[in-house]
Amino acid sequence: MPLALSQGLEFFMFTKFCATVSKLCLVLAVIGLIAVILCVQWQVIGRYVLNDTPTWAEALAMLIVLFVTAFGLAVGVRDAGHIGLESLVVLLPEKWQHRIEILIHALVAVFGFLMVQGGWLWASAKWAEKKPMLPVPDGIDYVPVIIAGALILLFSIEHIVALVQGKVVEPVWE
């Protein structure tokens, strides 16, 4: 198999994997949003109908929001839905535009790595403590940071590989 064809196939498999992970993140985010709505509804029903406020509902809803945000953030990075300052980059020569785009994705990848590292440190430091309203470790609040960081790193690498090969990462929602 020629080298160019082999690299194209490898990129196709990698981007297919990333697209599948991104779709899974979207599905989990939607399920999470539905779960937040159900938690809040149950809290309202418990407070005003049953006159017995479930103390766990708000804490669970806030924890789920952290996971929904992590998944949404990662998908936003993959689908280039994050905020960018393209107005300055387009003023540069085309050769420099390409280099700056690679640099931007490399910096986003470094940020993702730092999220994983920092999230891991905080999660492991707080894992022995318990949340007051939920029977889970307090360190679970930092697991979404780890997940988002790992996905951001993965999706940034995908963008860098695509830019080097002259390809485009297609958003999953199109």
Side-chain angles (χ1 to χ4, degrees), residues 6-97:
S6 173
Q7 287 176 343
L9 183 60
E10 288 172 3
F11 177 73
F12 174 76
M13 296 301 290
F14 180 57
T15 198
K16 192 76 170 162
F17 170 75
C18 289
T20 302
V21 170
S22 185
K23 285 179 186 176
L24 178 63
C25 287
L26 285 174
V27 168
L28 291 173
V30 169
I31 291 169
L33 286 174
I34 292 168
V36 168
I37 291 168
L38 292 174
C39 285
V40 171
Q41 284 181 337
W42 182 249
Q43 186 175 17
V44 170
I45 290 170
R47 178 178 294 158
Y48 295 109
V49 176
L50 304 175
N51 203 21
D52 184 25
T53 304
T55 55
W56 56 267
E58 182 180 357
L60 181 59
M62 291 184 63
L63 179 62
I64 294 170
V65 165
L66 294 175
F67 281 92
V68 168
T69 304
F71 294 134
L73 177 67
V75 171
V77 168
R78 183 184 186 276
D79 293 349
H82 56 342
I83 297 172
L85 298 174
E86 295 178 3
S87 58
L88 296 177
V89 177
V90 296
L91 298 174
L92 296 172
E94 197 170 313
K95 181 179 178 180
W96 280 98
Q97 288 179 16

